[in-house]
mmCIF file of all heavy atoms in Angstrom:
data_model
loop_
_atom_site.group_PDB
_atom_site.id
_atom_site.type_symbol
_atom_site.label_atom_id
_atom_site.label_comp_id
_atom_site.label_asym_id
_atom_site.label_seq_id
_atom_site.Cartn_x
_atom_site.Cartn_y
_atom_site.Cartn_z
ATOM 1 N N GLU A 741 0.790 -1.236 0.000
ATOM 2 C CA GLU A 741 0.000 0.000 0.000
ATOM 3 C C GLU A 741 0.819 1.281 0.000
ATOM 4 O O GLU A 741 0.264 2.354 -0.212
ATOM 5 C CB GLU A 741 -0.910 0.023 1.243
ATOM 6 C CG GLU A 741 -1.893 -1.118 1.285
ATOM 7 C CD GLU A 741 -2.628 -1.202 2.612
ATOM 8 O OE1 GLU A 741 -2.430 -0.303 3.467
ATOM 9 O OE2 GLU A 741 -3.388 -2.155 2.798
ATOM 10 N N ASN A 742 2.121 1.195 0.261
ATOM 11 C CA ASN A 742 2.883 2.403 0.519
ATOM 12 C C ASN A 742 4.135 2.462 -0.351
ATOM 13 O O ASN A 742 5.037 1.632 -0.207
ATOM 14 C CB ASN A 742 3.246 2.448 2.015
ATOM 15 C CG ASN A 742 3.843 3.763 2.442
ATOM 16 O OD1 ASN A 742 4.738 4.276 1.795
ATOM 17 N ND2 ASN A 742 3.349 4.293 3.543
ATOM 18 N N GLY A 743 4.192 3.460 -1.217
ATOM 19 C CA GLY A 743 5.349 3.636 -2.096
ATOM 20 C C GLY A 743 6.630 3.918 -1.339
ATOM 21 O O GLY A 743 7.705 3.475 -1.753
ATOM 22 N N HIS A 744 6.533 4.638 -0.218
ATOM 23 C CA HIS A 744 7.742 4.903 0.582
ATOM 24 C C HIS A 744 8.312 3.604 1.135
ATOM 25 O O HIS A 744 9.532 3.399 1.121
ATOM 26 C CB HIS A 744 7.433 5.864 1.738
ATOM 27 C CG HIS A 744 7.149 7.259 1.301
ATOM 28 N ND1 HIS A 744 8.080 8.049 0.677
ATOM 29 C CD2 HIS A 744 6.034 8.005 1.413
ATOM 30 C CE1 HIS A 744 7.554 9.225 0.404
ATOM 31 N NE2 HIS A 744 6.305 9.229 0.842
ATOM 32 N N ALA A 745 7.449 2.733 1.606
ATOM 33 C CA ALA A 745 7.904 1.443 2.135
ATOM 34 C C ALA A 745 8.549 0.610 1.027
ATOM 35 O O ALA A 745 9.556 -0.059 1.252
ATOM 36 C CB ALA A 745 6.737 0.690 2.768
ATOM 37 N N GLN A 746 7.994 0.660 -0.160
ATOM 38 C CA GLN A 746 8.568 -0.079 -1.286
ATOM 39 C C GLN A 746 9.948 0.468 -1.629
ATOM 40 O O GLN A 746 10.880 -0.300 -1.899
ATOM 41 C CB GLN A 746 7.639 0.005 -2.491
ATOM 42 C CG GLN A 746 6.324 -0.705 -2.283
ATOM 43 C CD GLN A 746 5.283 -0.340 -3.327
ATOM 44 O OE1 GLN A 746 5.540 0.438 -4.230
ATOM 45 N NE2 GLN A 746 4.094 -0.919 -3.196
ATOM 46 N N GLN A 747 10.095 1.787 -1.588
ATOM 47 C CA GLN A 747 11.393 2.401 -1.871
ATOM 48 C C GLN A 747 12.419 1.982 -0.825
ATOM 49 O O GLN A 747 13.566 1.675 -1.152
ATOM 50 C CB GLN A 747 11.261 3.931 -1.917
ATOM 51 C CG GLN A 747 12.515 4.656 -2.383
ATOM 52 C CD GLN A 747 13.543 4.859 -1.288
ATOM 53 O OE1 GLN A 747 13.199 5.006 -0.119
ATOM 54 N NE2 GLN A 747 14.805 4.865 -1.667
ATOM 55 N N ILE A 748 12.014 1.952 0.442
ATOM 56 C CA ILE A 748 12.925 1.547 1.511
ATOM 57 C C ILE A 748 13.340 0.088 1.324
ATOM 58 O O ILE A 748 14.507 -0.264 1.515
ATOM 59 C CB ILE A 748 12.276 1.784 2.890
ATOM 60 C CG1 ILE A 748 12.170 3.286 3.153
ATOM 61 C CG2 ILE A 748 13.058 1.097 4.004
ATOM 62 C CD1 ILE A 748 11.311 3.651 4.344
ATOM 63 N N LEU A 749 12.405 -0.764 0.922
ATOM 64 C CA LEU A 749 12.727 -2.168 0.683
ATOM 65 C C LEU A 749 13.744 -2.309 -0.455
ATOM 66 O O LEU A 749 14.724 -3.045 -0.331
ATOM 67 C CB LEU A 749 11.472 -2.977 0.366
ATOM 68 C CG LEU A 749 11.724 -4.446 0.030
ATOM 69 C CD1 LEU A 749 12.321 -5.183 1.227
ATOM 70 C CD2 LEU A 749 10.441 -5.109 -0.436
ATOM 71 N N VAL A 750 13.530 -1.604 -1.548
ATOM 72 C CA VAL A 750 14.472 -1.666 -2.674
ATOM 73 C C VAL A 750 15.838 -1.142 -2.240
ATOM 74 O O VAL A 750 16.876 -1.723 -2.577
ATOM 75 C CB VAL A 750 13.929 -0.902 -3.901
ATOM 76 C CG1 VAL A 750 14.987 -0.782 -4.980
ATOM 77 C CG2 VAL A 750 12.686 -1.602 -4.443
ATOM 78 N N ASP A 751 15.854 -0.064 -1.464
ATOM 79 C CA ASP A 751 17.103 0.497 -0.947
ATOM 80 C C ASP A 751 17.830 -0.540 -0.091
ATOM 81 O O ASP A 751 19.049 -0.718 -0.222
ATOM 82 C CB ASP A 751 16.788 1.761 -0.139
ATOM 83 C CG ASP A 751 18.035 2.474 0.308
ATOM 84 O OD1 ASP A 751 18.842 2.873 -0.549
ATOM 85 O OD2 ASP A 751 18.194 2.637 1.541
ATOM 86 N N LEU A 752 17.097 -1.237 0.764
ATOM 87 C CA LEU A 752 17.695 -2.270 1.609
ATOM 88 C C LEU A 752 18.245 -3.409 0.765
ATOM 89 O O LEU A 752 19.341 -3.913 1.034
ATOM 90 C CB LEU A 752 16.666 -2.801 2.609
ATOM 91 C CG LEU A 752 17.140 -3.934 3.512
ATOM 92 C CD1 LEU A 752 18.307 -3.491 4.383
ATOM 93 C CD2 LEU A 752 15.992 -4.433 4.367
ATOM 94 N N VAL A 753 17.522 -3.818 -0.256
ATOM 95 C CA VAL A 753 17.994 -4.894 -1.127
ATOM 96 C C VAL A 753 19.298 -4.498 -1.816
ATOM 97 O O VAL A 753 20.242 -5.293 -1.893
ATOM 98 C CB VAL A 753 16.910 -5.290 -2.159
ATOM 99 C CG1 VAL A 753 17.470 -6.198 -3.242
ATOM 100 C CG2 VAL A 753 15.726 -5.946 -1.460
ATOM 101 N N ILE A 754 19.380 -3.265 -2.287
ATOM 102 C CA ILE A 754 20.615 -2.793 -2.920
ATOM 103 C C ILE A 754 21.758 -2.763 -1.915
ATOM 104 O O ILE A 754 22.876 -3.208 -2.208
ATOM 105 C CB ILE A 754 20.395 -1.409 -3.573
ATOM 106 C CG1 ILE A 754 19.446 -1.537 -4.765
ATOM 107 C CG2 ILE A 754 21.732 -0.788 -3.991
ATOM 108 C CD1 ILE A 754 18.948 -0.199 -5.300
ATOM 109 N N ALA A 755 21.492 -2.250 -0.710
ATOM 110 C CA ALA A 755 22.528 -2.187 0.325
ATOM 111 C C ALA A 755 23.022 -3.584 0.699
ATOM 112 O O ALA A 755 24.225 -3.813 0.868
ATOM 113 C CB ALA A 755 22.001 -1.456 1.558
ATOM 114 N N VAL A 756 22.112 -4.532 0.800
ATOM 115 C CA VAL A 756 22.491 -5.908 1.139
ATOM 116 C C VAL A 756 23.294 -6.530 -0.003
ATOM 117 O O VAL A 756 24.274 -7.235 0.236
ATOM 118 C CB VAL A 756 21.248 -6.737 1.498
ATOM 119 C CG1 VAL A 756 21.550 -8.214 1.500
ATOM 120 C CG2 VAL A 756 20.700 -6.300 2.849
ATOM 121 N N ALA A 757 22.914 -6.261 -1.232
ATOM 122 C CA ALA A 757 23.677 -6.781 -2.374
ATOM 123 C C ALA A 757 25.102 -6.233 -2.356
ATOM 124 O O ALA A 757 26.064 -6.978 -2.606
ATOM 125 C CB ALA A 757 22.978 -6.430 -3.686
ATOM 126 N N VAL A 758 25.249 -4.968 -2.036
ATOM 127 C CA VAL A 758 26.587 -4.370 -1.920
ATOM 128 C C VAL A 758 27.354 -5.051 -0.786
ATOM 129 O O VAL A 758 28.544 -5.367 -0.931
ATOM 130 C CB VAL A 758 26.498 -2.843 -1.704
ATOM 131 C CG1 VAL A 758 27.844 -2.257 -1.331
ATOM 132 C CG2 VAL A 758 25.943 -2.169 -2.950
ATOM 133 N N ALA A 759 26.680 -5.301 0.334
ATOM 134 C CA ALA A 759 27.331 -5.984 1.451
ATOM 135 C C ALA A 759 27.794 -7.374 1.034
ATOM 136 O O ALA A 759 28.889 -7.808 1.394
ATOM 137 C CB ALA A 759 26.381 -6.063 2.653
ATOM 138 N N TRP A 760 26.957 -8.098 0.267
ATOM 139 C CA TRP A 760 27.338 -9.432 -0.184
ATOM 140 C C TRP A 760 28.570 -9.397 -1.073
ATOM 141 O O TRP A 760 29.423 -10.279 -0.991
ATOM 142 C CB TRP A 760 26.201 -10.089 -0.945
ATOM 143 C CG TRP A 760 25.097 -10.634 -0.111
ATOM 144 C CD1 TRP A 760 25.113 -10.871 1.230
ATOM 145 C CD2 TRP A 760 23.814 -11.024 -0.568
ATOM 146 N NE1 TRP A 760 23.908 -11.376 1.632
ATOM 147 C CE2 TRP A 760 23.089 -11.485 0.549
ATOM 148 C CE3 TRP A 760 23.206 -11.026 -1.809
ATOM 149 C CZ2 TRP A 760 21.782 -11.951 0.454
ATOM 150 C CZ3 TRP A 760 21.898 -11.489 -1.897
ATOM 151 C CH2 TRP A 760 21.198 -11.947 -0.783
ATOM 152 N N VAL A 761 28.663 -8.381 -1.935
ATOM 153 C CA VAL A 761 29.821 -8.260 -2.834
ATOM 154 C C VAL A 761 31.106 -8.152 -2.014
ATOM 155 O O VAL A 761 32.148 -8.670 -2.404
ATOM 156 C CB VAL A 761 29.653 -7.051 -3.780
ATOM 157 C CG1 VAL A 761 30.938 -6.705 -4.490
ATOM 158 C CG2 VAL A 761 28.532 -7.319 -4.771
ATOM 159 N N TRP A 762 31.033 -7.512 -0.856
ATOM 160 C CA TRP A 762 32.192 -7.398 0.012
ATOM 161 C C TRP A 762 32.312 -8.612 0.939
ATOM 162 O O TRP A 762 33.405 -9.138 1.154
ATOM 163 C CB TRP A 762 32.100 -6.112 0.849
ATOM 164 C CG TRP A 762 33.078 -6.088 1.977
ATOM 165 C CD1 TRP A 762 34.413 -5.823 1.896
ATOM 166 C CD2 TRP A 762 32.810 -6.401 3.341
ATOM 167 N NE1 TRP A 762 34.993 -5.945 3.133
ATOM 168 C CE2 TRP A 762 34.015 -6.296 4.040
ATOM 169 C CE3 TRP A 762 31.661 -6.755 4.043
ATOM 170 C CZ2 TRP A 762 34.116 -6.536 5.402
ATOM 171 C CZ3 TRP A 762 31.768 -6.991 5.395
ATOM 172 C CH2 TRP A 762 32.977 -6.871 6.056
ATOM 173 N N LEU A 763 31.186 -9.067 1.499
ATOM 174 C CA LEU A 763 31.181 -10.097 2.527
ATOM 175 C C LEU A 763 31.747 -11.429 2.035
ATOM 176 O O LEU A 763 32.577 -12.028 2.720
ATOM 177 C CB LEU A 763 29.749 -10.288 3.038
ATOM 178 C CG LEU A 763 29.486 -11.245 4.184
ATOM 179 C CD1 LEU A 763 28.266 -10.785 4.961
ATOM 180 C CD2 LEU A 763 29.285 -12.670 3.722
ATOM 181 N N VAL A 764 31.328 -11.887 0.883
ATOM 182 C CA VAL A 764 31.734 -13.221 0.415
ATOM 183 C C VAL A 764 33.251 -13.324 0.238
ATOM 184 O O VAL A 764 33.876 -14.212 0.832
ATOM 185 C CB VAL A 764 30.956 -13.623 -0.861
ATOM 186 C CG1 VAL A 764 31.515 -14.900 -1.457
ATOM 187 C CG2 VAL A 764 29.468 -13.781 -0.552
ATOM 188 N N PRO A 765 33.901 -12.442 -0.519
ATOM 189 C CA PRO A 765 35.354 -12.592 -0.644
ATOM 190 C C PRO A 765 36.100 -12.307 0.660
ATOM 191 O O PRO A 765 37.131 -12.924 0.937
ATOM 192 C CB PRO A 765 35.745 -11.595 -1.741
ATOM 193 C CG PRO A 765 34.586 -10.708 -1.932
ATOM 194 C CD PRO A 765 33.384 -11.397 -1.405
ATOM 195 N N ASP A 766 35.579 -11.394 1.477
ATOM 196 C CA ASP A 766 36.229 -11.102 2.750
ATOM 197 C C ASP A 766 36.170 -12.311 3.671
ATOM 198 O O ASP A 766 37.164 -12.672 4.302
ATOM 199 C CB ASP A 766 35.567 -9.884 3.414
ATOM 200 C CG ASP A 766 36.301 -9.454 4.662
ATOM 201 O OD1 ASP A 766 37.469 -9.025 4.548
ATOM 202 O OD2 ASP A 766 35.711 -9.558 5.760
ATOM 203 N N ALA A 767 35.008 -12.946 3.750
ATOM 204 C CA ALA A 767 34.872 -14.142 4.587
ATOM 205 C C ALA A 767 35.815 -15.241 4.112
ATOM 206 O O ALA A 767 36.492 -15.887 4.922
ATOM 207 C CB ALA A 767 33.426 -14.630 4.571
ATOM 208 N N ARG A 768 35.867 -15.459 2.821
ATOM 209 C CA ARG A 768 36.755 -16.496 2.281
ATOM 210 C C ARG A 768 38.214 -16.182 2.587
ATOM 211 O O ARG A 768 38.994 -17.079 2.927
ATOM 212 C CB ARG A 768 36.552 -16.633 0.778
ATOM 213 C CG ARG A 768 35.255 -17.327 0.434
ATOM 214 C CD ARG A 768 35.109 -17.484 -1.053
ATOM 215 N NE ARG A 768 33.903 -18.227 -1.385
ATOM 216 C CZ ARG A 768 33.236 -18.091 -2.495
ATOM 217 N NH1 ARG A 768 33.650 -17.255 -3.426
ATOM 218 N NH2 ARG A 768 32.146 -18.798 -2.709
ATOM 219 N N ALA A 769 38.600 -14.914 2.486
ATOM 220 C CA ALA A 769 39.977 -14.526 2.767
ATOM 221 C C ALA A 769 40.342 -14.776 4.232
ATOM 222 O O ALA A 769 41.505 -15.035 4.547
ATOM 223 C CB ALA A 769 40.194 -13.043 2.426
ATOM 224 N N LEU A 770 39.344 -14.726 5.110
ATOM 225 C CA LEU A 770 39.586 -14.964 6.534
ATOM 226 C C LEU A 770 39.361 -16.418 6.935
ATOM 227 O O LEU A 770 39.440 -16.771 8.102
ATOM 228 C CB LEU A 770 38.674 -14.055 7.370
ATOM 229 C CG LEU A 770 38.975 -12.563 7.272
ATOM 230 C CD1 LEU A 770 37.910 -11.752 7.975
ATOM 231 C CD2 LEU A 770 40.357 -12.258 7.840
ATOM 232 N N GLY A 771 39.041 -17.267 5.949
ATOM 233 C CA GLY A 771 38.805 -18.671 6.235
ATOM 234 C C GLY A 771 37.427 -18.936 6.829
ATOM 235 O O GLY A 771 37.210 -19.973 7.452
ATOM 236 N N MET A 772 36.502 -18.013 6.635
ATOM 237 C CA MET A 772 35.142 -18.152 7.161
ATOM 238 C C MET A 772 34.213 -18.616 6.047
ATOM 239 O O MET A 772 34.436 -18.308 4.884
ATOM 240 C CB MET A 772 34.644 -16.791 7.689
ATOM 241 C CG MET A 772 35.442 -16.237 8.837
ATOM 242 S SD MET A 772 35.026 -14.501 9.214
ATOM 243 C CE MET A 772 33.283 -14.619 9.582
ATOM 244 N N ASN A 773 33.154 -19.307 6.425
ATOM 245 C CA ASN A 773 32.133 -19.715 5.467
ATOM 246 C C ASN A 773 31.109 -18.581 5.341
ATOM 247 O O ASN A 773 30.404 -18.282 6.307
ATOM 248 C CB ASN A 773 31.450 -20.993 5.939
ATOM 249 C CG ASN A 773 30.384 -21.478 4.994
ATOM 250 O OD1 ASN A 773 30.143 -20.906 3.942
ATOM 251 N ND2 ASN A 773 29.729 -22.550 5.375
ATOM 252 N N PRO A 774 30.991 -17.934 4.182
ATOM 253 C CA PRO A 774 30.065 -16.802 4.060
ATOM 254 C C PRO A 774 28.606 -17.208 3.893
ATOM 255 O O PRO A 774 27.700 -16.412 4.131
ATOM 256 C CB PRO A 774 30.548 -16.096 2.795
ATOM 257 C CG PRO A 774 31.154 -17.187 1.970
ATOM 258 C CD PRO A 774 31.780 -18.133 2.960
ATOM 259 N N TRP A 775 28.342 -18.455 3.494
ATOM 260 C CA TRP A 775 26.992 -18.830 3.078
ATOM 261 C C TRP A 775 25.934 -18.784 4.171
ATOM 262 O O TRP A 775 24.784 -18.415 3.876
ATOM 263 C CB TRP A 775 27.029 -20.155 2.326
ATOM 264 C CG TRP A 775 27.882 -19.981 1.107
ATOM 265 C CD1 TRP A 775 29.092 -20.562 0.854
ATOM 266 C CD2 TRP A 775 27.639 -19.083 0.028
ATOM 267 N NE1 TRP A 775 29.612 -20.094 -0.323
ATOM 268 C CE2 TRP A 775 28.732 -19.179 -0.857
ATOM 269 C CE3 TRP A 775 26.614 -18.201 -0.290
ATOM 270 C CZ2 TRP A 775 28.830 -18.444 -2.030
ATOM 271 C CZ3 TRP A 775 26.714 -17.460 -1.471
ATOM 272 C CH2 TRP A 775 27.802 -17.591 -2.313
ATOM 273 N N PRO A 776 26.224 -19.107 5.423
ATOM 274 C CA PRO A 776 25.168 -18.939 6.429
ATOM 275 C C PRO A 776 24.667 -17.493 6.522
ATOM 276 O O PRO A 776 23.466 -17.249 6.693
ATOM 277 C CB PRO A 776 25.833 -19.374 7.731
ATOM 278 C CG PRO A 776 26.911 -20.309 7.297
ATOM 279 C CD PRO A 776 27.397 -19.766 5.982
ATOM 280 N N TYR A 777 25.569 -16.549 6.362
ATOM 281 C CA TYR A 777 25.198 -15.140 6.436
ATOM 282 C C TYR A 777 24.448 -14.698 5.176
ATOM 283 O O TYR A 777 23.477 -13.952 5.253
ATOM 284 C CB TYR A 777 26.442 -14.275 6.661
ATOM 285 C CG TYR A 777 27.177 -14.691 7.905
ATOM 286 C CD1 TYR A 777 28.331 -15.464 7.837
ATOM 287 C CD2 TYR A 777 26.683 -14.361 9.161
ATOM 288 C CE1 TYR A 777 28.983 -15.881 8.977
ATOM 289 C CE2 TYR A 777 27.325 -14.774 10.312
ATOM 290 C CZ TYR A 777 28.475 -15.525 10.215
ATOM 291 O OH TYR A 777 29.104 -15.944 11.358
ATOM 292 N N VAL A 778 24.899 -15.154 4.035
ATOM 293 C CA VAL A 778 24.236 -14.819 2.769
ATOM 294 C C VAL A 778 22.813 -15.391 2.761
ATOM 295 O O VAL A 778 21.859 -14.695 2.386
ATOM 296 C CB VAL A 778 25.060 -15.343 1.563
ATOM 297 C CG1 VAL A 778 24.286 -15.205 0.272
ATOM 298 C CG2 VAL A 778 26.401 -14.611 1.481
ATOM 299 N N ILE A 779 22.660 -16.627 3.200
ATOM 300 C CA ILE A 779 21.343 -17.263 3.208
ATOM 301 C C ILE A 779 20.416 -16.613 4.237
ATOM 302 O O ILE A 779 19.223 -16.445 3.991
ATOM 303 C CB ILE A 779 21.489 -18.781 3.460
ATOM 304 C CG1 ILE A 779 22.178 -19.432 2.253
ATOM 305 C CG2 ILE A 779 20.151 -19.431 3.748
ATOM 306 C CD1 ILE A 779 22.659 -20.846 2.503
ATOM 307 N N ALA A 780 20.958 -16.227 5.384
ATOM 308 C CA ALA A 780 20.131 -15.635 6.451
ATOM 309 C C ALA A 780 19.718 -14.205 6.145
ATOM 310 O O ALA A 780 18.691 -13.738 6.653
ATOM 311 C CB ALA A 780 20.883 -15.678 7.775
ATOM 312 N N THR A 781 20.460 -13.505 5.324
ATOM 313 C CA THR A 781 20.185 -12.083 5.090
ATOM 314 C C THR A 781 18.800 -11.803 4.511
ATOM 315 O O THR A 781 18.136 -10.880 4.979
ATOM 316 C CB THR A 781 21.282 -11.457 4.207
ATOM 317 O OG1 THR A 781 22.547 -11.658 4.847
ATOM 318 C CG2 THR A 781 21.072 -9.971 4.038
ATOM 319 N N PRO A 782 18.305 -12.544 3.518
ATOM 320 C CA PRO A 782 16.955 -12.225 3.025
ATOM 321 C C PRO A 782 15.867 -12.373 4.089
ATOM 322 O O PRO A 782 14.838 -11.701 4.017
ATOM 323 C CB PRO A 782 16.739 -13.234 1.894
ATOM 324 C CG PRO A 782 18.103 -13.606 1.451
ATOM 325 C CD PRO A 782 18.949 -13.562 2.693
ATOM 326 N N VAL A 783 16.097 -13.230 5.081
ATOM 327 C CA VAL A 783 15.104 -13.445 6.127
ATOM 328 C C VAL A 783 15.285 -12.467 7.286
ATOM 329 O O VAL A 783 14.319 -11.967 7.838
ATOM 330 C CB VAL A 783 15.183 -14.900 6.651
ATOM 331 C CG1 VAL A 783 14.193 -15.140 7.767
ATOM 332 C CG2 VAL A 783 14.962 -15.880 5.511
ATOM 333 N N THR A 784 16.535 -12.194 7.636
ATOM 334 C CA THR A 784 16.801 -11.377 8.823
ATOM 335 C C THR A 784 17.305 -9.971 8.511
ATOM 336 O O THR A 784 17.452 -9.160 9.422
ATOM 337 C CB THR A 784 17.840 -12.060 9.730
ATOM 338 O OG1 THR A 784 19.104 -12.115 9.046
ATOM 339 C CG2 THR A 784 17.399 -13.448 10.137
ATOM 340 N N GLY A 785 17.612 -9.713 7.242
ATOM 341 C CA GLY A 785 18.112 -8.390 6.878
ATOM 342 C C GLY A 785 19.478 -8.111 7.474
ATOM 343 O O GLY A 785 20.349 -8.983 7.494
#
């Protein structure tokens, strides 16, 4: 019902995608498994 809420959701999705671009290679470089965090992000933000 609310265009502002939709804009905030799209903004969050873009921000999370940017975080993933950094998170996955950074986690691998530190010997961490990034996938639990990547999988949990759509549910928990």
Side-chain angles (χ1 to χ4, degrees):
E741 299 171 5
N742 189 312
H744 290 296
Q746 294 166 1
Q747 188 278 329
I748 290 169
L749 177 64
V750 171
D751 186 59
L752 177 62
V753 169
I754 292 168
V756 165
V758 170
W760 283 345
V761 167
W762 167 78
L763 184 151
V764 172
D766 186 65
R768 286 182 176 152
L770 293 172
M772 297 169 59
N773 180 2
W775 299 113
Y777 303 102
V778 171
I779 292 167
T781 303
V783 178
T784 66

